[in-house]
Amino acid sequence: MKRLLLGSVFLMAAGLAPWAYGAPHISDPGHVAANTDGFLAYHPDLRWRKEGLGRYEDGELGLALVAFKRSAKYADKGAQGMVAEMYWKGEGTAADKALAYAWMDLAAERGYKDFLTLREYYWRELDPRERERALKVGKEIYAEYGDEVAKPRLEKKINKGRRLATGSRTGFKGSLTIMVPGAGGWISMDANEYYKDEYWQPEQYFKWQDDLWRNYQRGRVEVGALETSVPKPE
């Protein structure tokens, strides 16, 4: 069950797996927007998570870890959890369970249930010496990647992108249409969809991510461990 849980958690990455893999749902304007270079330039959390997941899928684990850490600097909890998992398993780096726990504790900072579950599992697996070290390095990780410092980094980027938006000073776009590149060529989008507040107002952006995680958790079906079936003798 743990392995399936990990896969679902990290590929969801706050409910945005289609964006991360570069395969947006064309019927959803938000997904189209989030896969464009212009959008990703001002949402580095998504940009670097997308890079990390792509590298991970290609087996370039060291580069994946670097990308996930860059995403983690912009308060991306999915990327922070993935860093934890890679340290735990020694993927793209030497295994370090104390460091893995510190990263998973960071991923659980907002109380997302799946990360809390994994954090407690990690803790139970540590020996006393590893636990002591985990608490020490955790302070250093929070100082650089915790929400207190990481959210303002992302807010600065998002606010810059919003200020560059085409339209009036109040943010109203009227009937303006913008063109964004899609899988089959250029796609026409209503500017009001592209610049929805949940993408470009930092407070609403974080609330939107929280809602995606919570909806995902309510709808997830957990699968138990596989059992071997032994045929009965005839």
Side-chain angles (χ1 to χ4, degrees), residues 1-9 113-114 117-118 121 124 216 220-227:
M1 187 272 285
K2 184 173 76 72
R3 180 62 183 176
L4 293 177
L5 176 61
L6 291 174
S8 62
V9 168
K113 181 180 177 181
D114 290 322
T117 299
L118 291 169
Y121 168 79
R124 290 195 301 269
Y216 158 64
R220 190 187 70 245
V221 175
E222 294 188 4
V223 180
L226 295 176
E227 296 181 0

Side-chain angles (χ1 to χ4, degrees), residues 8 14 27 33 75 94 122 124 146 150 183 195 209 222:
S8 62
S27 61
Y122 280 17
R124 290 195 301 269
Y195 289 109
Q209 289 195 342
E222 294 188 4

Side-chain angles (χ1 to χ4, degrees), residues 10 76-82 84 101-112 115-116 142:
F10 297 132
D76 190 281
K77 294 304 173 190
Q80 292 167 4
M82 196 65 192
Y101 172 84
W103 276 98
M104 191 58 75
D105 182 60
L106 178 66
E109 183 178 12
R110 295 178 205 158
Y112 297 148
F115 293 130
L116 289 171
Y142 265 87

Side-chain angles (χ1 to χ4, degrees), residues 100-212:
Y101 172 84
W103 276 98
M104 191 58 75
D105 182 60
L106 178 66
E109 183 178 12
R110 295 178 205 158
Y112 297 148
K113 181 180 177 181
D114 290 322
F115 293 130
L116 289 171
T117 299
L118 291 169
R119 183 190 68 181
E120 295 312 302
Y121 168 79
Y122 280 17
W123 185 256
R124 290 195 301 269
E125 295 294 308
L126 300 181
D127 63 34
R129 187 173 181 180
E130 288 172 328
R131 289 181 178 183
E132 182 179 357
R133 180 166 169 267
L135 297 176
K136 180 179 179 180
V137 297
K139 294 179 181 179
E140 300 169 1
I141 289 172
Y142 265 87
E144 185 172 0
Y145 297 93
D147 275 354
E148 185 176 347
V149 293
K151 278 188 172 182
R153 286 191 196 108
L154 183 56
E155 290 170 2
K156 185 177 180 180
K157 288 282 188 178
I158 292 175
N159 286 333
K160 181 178 180 181
R162 189 179 70 251
R163 287 195 298 269
L164 295 176
T166 303
S168 71
R169 292 181 183 272
T170 62
F172 177 68
K173 311 300 184 298
S175 60
L176 178 66
T177 298
I178 61 175
M179 302 297 291
V180 296
W186 291 91
I187 299 171
S188 175
M189 281 186 62
D190 183 277
N192 288 307
E193 287 292 337
Y194 187 89
Y195 289 109
K196 287 175 69 173
D197 285 347
E198 64 188 26
Y199 307 145
W200 295 98
Q201 294 286 349
E203 183 176 349
Q204 293 193 41
Y205 181 71
F206 288 117
K207 180 181 181 302
W208 173 61
Q209 289 195 342
D210 288 343
D211 290 343
L212 286 170

Side-chain angles (χ1 to χ4, degrees), residues 56-117:
Y56 190 87
E57 285 292 292
D58 291 340
E60 299 175 324
L61 301 182
L63 293 175
L65 183 60
V66 171
F68 286 133
K69 284 185 175 181
R70 295 189 75 167
S71 176
K73 290 192 74 169
Y74 294 96
D76 190 281
K77 294 304 173 190
Q80 292 167 4
M82 196 65 192
V83 171
E85 176 71 351
M86 294 183 77
Y87 274 117
W88 189 262
K89 297 189 295 185
E91 293 184 326
T93 183
D96 188 330
K97 291 190 174 183
L99 192 55
Y101 172 84
W103 276 98
M104 191 58 75
D105 182 60
L106 178 66
E109 183 178 12
R110 295 178 205 158
Y112 297 148
K113 181 180 177 181
D114 290 322
F115 293 130
L116 289 171
T117 299

